[in-house]
Amino acid sequence: MGYLNLMILLQEQAQGGGLSGIIMIVAMIAIFYFFMIRPQSKKQKEIKKARDAMQKGDKVVTAGGIHGKIREIHEDTIIVEISPEVSVKVDKASVYPVAIPQQGK
């Protein structure tokens, strides 16, 4: 009779261990979401909002590090003036607005 009770106890622990393992996996996925995925998607939304707000004359920097001013804005591209009489056509997704530092701080 003692052997049968021991087998039942071991089976119950094995089933409970599986449940706690699933709970740990779900907890790790939740932590990963809140610390990695969610902040990244918020940042992407902010960048998209800033790109949509760009206007002619704004200072920008391309993904390649070229600084300039916006001359024209098209649906998918932007004409950036990098020097007087020198302009380049770049993809809108590779242009970032330049943050203007505030004076007095």
Side-chain angles (χ1 to χ4, degrees):
M1 189 85 114
Y3 179 73
L4 184 59
N5 288 338
L6 179 62
M7 290 300 290
I8 292 171
L9 182 63
L10 288 174
Q11 286 179 347
E12 288 176 4
Q13 285 180 351
Q15 290 173 352
L19 182 61
S20 67
I22 291 172
I23 291 172
M24 289 297 291
I25 291 172
V26 169
M28 288 175 35
I29 290 170
I31 290 169
F32 185 74
Y33 173 78
F34 283 108
F35 286 106
M36 300 290 284
I37 297 170
R38 190 168 179 240
Q40 185 66 25
S41 64
K42 279 180 136 181
K43 187 175 182 179
Q44 290 295 332
K45 285 180 184 177
E46 290 174 8
I47 290 172
K48 184 180 180 334
K49 186 177 177 182
R51 281 188 184 131
D52 292 341
M54 289 189 299
Q55 299 175 357
K56 183 178 175 181
D58 287 352
K59 292 184 178 184
V60 294
V61 63
T62 66
I66 299 172
H67 292 255
K69 283 186 180 179
I70 297 175
R71 246 182 71 198
E72 296 176 29
I73 299 177
H74 302 285
E75 190 170 326
D76 294 331
T77 59
I78 296 178
I79 307 296
V80 179
E81 183 176 7
I82 57 175
S83 178
E85 302 297 322
V86 179
S87 298
V88 291
K89 183 179 186 178
V90 294
D91 189 46
K92 199 172 191 178
S94 67
V95 176
Y96 304 94
V98 174
I100 301 170
Q102 296 180 358
Q103 305 254 342
K105 284 194 173 183

